[in-house]
Amino acid sequence: MLKIQDVTLGYKTKEDVIKSVDLNICEGELAVIIGPNGSGKSTLLKSIAGNLKPRKGQILIKDKSLSSYSAKALAQRIAFLPQFPTVPNDYTVRELISYGRFPHLKWTGKMQSTDWDIIDWAMELTHLTTYANRPMAALSGGERQRAWVALALAQQPQILILDEPTTYLDISFQFEVLELIKSLNKKLNITTLIVLHDLNQAARFADRIIVLENGSVVLEGKPDKIIRNGKLESIFQITVGIGKDTYNDCPYLIPLKSRRTIFGGGDRFKNLSPKRTKCPS
Amino acid sequence: MIVNFFGRDNKRILILIILAVLCVCAFILSLSQGSLKLSLSQVLHSIFFESTGPHYQIIYNIRLPRTLVAALVGMSLSLSGCILQGIMRNPLASPHLIGISAGAGLAGIFILIVMPSAFHLLTPAAFIGALVTTIIIYALAWQQGLKPTRLILAGVAVSSFMGAWITALMIFFPERVHSVLGFMVGGLSARSWKHFYIILPYSVTGFLLAIVFAKRLNILLLGDDIARSLGLNVEKNRLLFIALAALLAASAVSVAGLLGFVGLIVPHMTRFFIGSDYRFLLPACALTGSCLLMACDTVARVALDPVELPVGIIMSVLGAPFFLYLLRSNFNKG
């Protein structure tokens, strides 16, 4: 579905951010990219969304080069949700989602009744039907994120790309959004590529985890294999324990302490006197 | 629910109708008021049935062209500011920002001060000055695409550079400063059919293009990444809209001088009551701008009759407090 072949990326004249990456995302797969800050996750997503041309190599969608698609044709196939999308406060949910039809419209931008049907469908799938006429500013963080997902759905894409869709959401909304994305991925067979920060969420929702470090893919495979891989500790500079989430049947990673030494790592607490760490009873 | 949705549209259409009615009122008021006050029936009579006589002369040769120029200038500047605030996603954006005022100002003042005998070149010189400055700023800000912040900073730098030359010219020719003051504040005195025909093609095509592409402005409001993901060529469209805004503002400034306030404040005022959907905001801005400038020009003529004030002063003196009132009442609501 989506092939990344020997792709090198970078901004302006600065050095390469992504170095000769090869990846193959299968149809209907939910792949999660993880990696430390500055490993090039967002840059890679940008390029797949067509917002950044590779310096070297090529990206193929259905075995056709990304650059051979027009902007409009690409938008009919790929929907990209950036990390911090902005919206004027008074746009209603339905208005926002309606712009998802833009790549399917003629240049006059005239909407047909089928377009409105697709918008209703997108709202139904994201459980936003009752919020259709609310202004975006009146929604909670999780609802707002669902509206953005609905915007992407209205594009009727074959590939959905999300850059840290859970940032700034509290934990219940984080799971709500990820469960929604997972269910859309399975129900509609949309190939999905997500960047996540939380390793356990990656383990819980991904079909496959891809680990980036310094612009290269260092690990990839099933969550079970990746989370149990000892290399993760050095990539993220953290000492971990591995447990098992028997409810969801996936590995669970417990961060024990940082391996970074600037503040003396996790051991510094051991030197504190017991008096100071005791709570007043 | 669907009824509700159209209800929102209906409300906005109603606001547009109210603005249009206000515009007609301002138009008639502007025609009837002045040193010689005429009644509504006299105005209508002389427009439709007379072809000679003193009323006809006053209405047709003096007040009508001036009022129409006011309407088009108000419309063009507001549309220009409205478009720029959208594509820059910056509430302080105005035609001023992309060098329109500095460019038109320097060219206009050069003509007025250095070669006053070529007075008839004032309008084309101001127009060319405004456009050339916009192109310079755009070229300076361009670096593998256009970031609004870079454009704003380049605009500020180039404008202050040109502002220095404007001041220098005024200091070197102190005896001629008086003649440029009117141009600097912006005024509509003695504007004739000639000026009307200069600005007409730009404002009409500008208005139509802006309305046709309003949806693209809406999508640009969602940010560059989303706009690109929706298949919109962000760079190309931004260039198109800046060019459109520049043409609108340059034509307005070249006939009316440096009216600063309209392009900045009218879009904000309009957004307060109609929201940020450009399909409604642009026509509303056009109507508010025309209405406001016609009304203010009437006040400028009548307030201290027989002395006439430049409309730019009236605009700012009346408009700024009104805008602040809107701003405060809006904050209290939120």
Side-chain angles (χ1 to χ4, degrees), chain A residues 113-272:
Chain A
S113 66
T114 47
D115 292 313
W116 289 112
D117 291 343
I118 290 162
I119 290 156
D120 286 339
W121 164 84
M123 286 196 293
E124 221 167 276
L125 280 172
T126 49
H127 306 287
L128 285 169
T129 311
T130 47
Y131 299 94
N133 298 310
R134 298 241 186 118
M136 284 295 283
L139 300 189
S140 71
E143 289 156 357
R144 211 171 296 157
Q145 197 64 353
R146 264 153 52 198
W148 286 108
V149 173
L151 168 82
L153 280 183
Q155 277 177 259
Q156 295 186 300
Q158 290 152 7
I159 302 174
L160 178 60
I161 298 175
L162 304 125
D163 193 356
E164 290 182 32
T166 55
T167 316
Y168 293 154
L169 297 181
D170 72 35
I171 192 151
S172 72
F173 289 132
Q174 290 185 11
F175 273 83
E176 183 191 28
V177 166
L178 288 173
E179 279 166 6
L180 169 70
I181 291 166
K182 178 95 181 173
S183 79
L184 294 172
N185 165 256
K186 295 292 163 247
K187 219 187 288 178
L188 308 172
N189 203 33
I190 300 179
T191 310
T192 310
L193 189 59
I194 318 176
V195 162
L196 284 180
H197 257 309
D198 190 311
L199 303 183
N200 286 317
Q201 288 174 352
R204 159 98 173 73
F205 290 99
D207 293 329
R208 180 156 58 120
I209 296 180
I210 296 155
V211 188
L212 276 184
E213 189 188 22
N214 286 330
S216 305
V217 175
V218 284
L219 288 173
E220 70 173 299
K222 293 233 175 291
D224 216 41
K225 203 178 100 197
I226 300 293
I227 296 296
R228 290 179 196 287
N229 191 313
K231 258 173 128 181
L232 223 48
E233 291 197 319
S234 67
I235 293 169
F236 284 95
Q237 290 285 307
I238 194 165
T239 304
V240 299
I242 307 287
K244 177 93 186 163
D245 171 357
T246 48
Y247 183 80
N248 292 305
D249 190 29
C250 60
Y252 195 85
L253 181 145
I254 303 147
L256 298 177
K257 61 176 188 179
S258 166
R259 282 191 183 178
R260 292 186 197 278
T261 49
I262 304 170
F263 300 111
D267 287 334
R268 67 191 153 129
F269 298 112
K270 286 188 180 156
N271 301 329
L272 295 174

Side-chain angles (χ1 to χ4, degrees), chain A residues 12 51 71 75 79-82 86 88 90-92 94-96 99-100 102-103 105 109 111 129 133 148 155, chain B residues 1-2 4-5 8 12 143-144 212 215-216 218-219 221-223 225-226 228-232 275-277:
Chain A
K12 288 174 194 159
N51 292 359
F80 171 53
L81 198 52
T86 52
D90 62 324
Y91 276 31
T92 63
R94 185 199 293 263
E95 272 171 342
L96 174 70
Y99 294 117
F102 184 73
L105 303 177
M111 303 272 279
T129 311
N133 298 310
W148 286 108
Q155 277 177 259
Chain B
M1 193 183 60
I2 287 168
N4 224 337
F5 177 67
R8 185 172 144 88
R12 292 190 284 202
Q143 195 184 53
Q144 289 192 349
V212 169
K215 196 159 190 173
R216 297 185 177 194
N218 280 342
I219 287 174
L221 284 185
L222 301 176
D225 284 333
I226 291 274
R228 280 199 200 98
S229 166
L230 292 173
L232 192 74
S276 44
D277 185 336

Side-chain angles (χ1 to χ4, degrees), chain B residues 304-324:
Chain B
L304 295 179
D305 189 44
V307 182
E308 201 185 297
L309 287 167
V311 67
I313 293 179
I314 301 291
M315 258 340 265
S316 304
V317 166
L318 295 182
F322 179 59
F323 174 67
L324 289 173

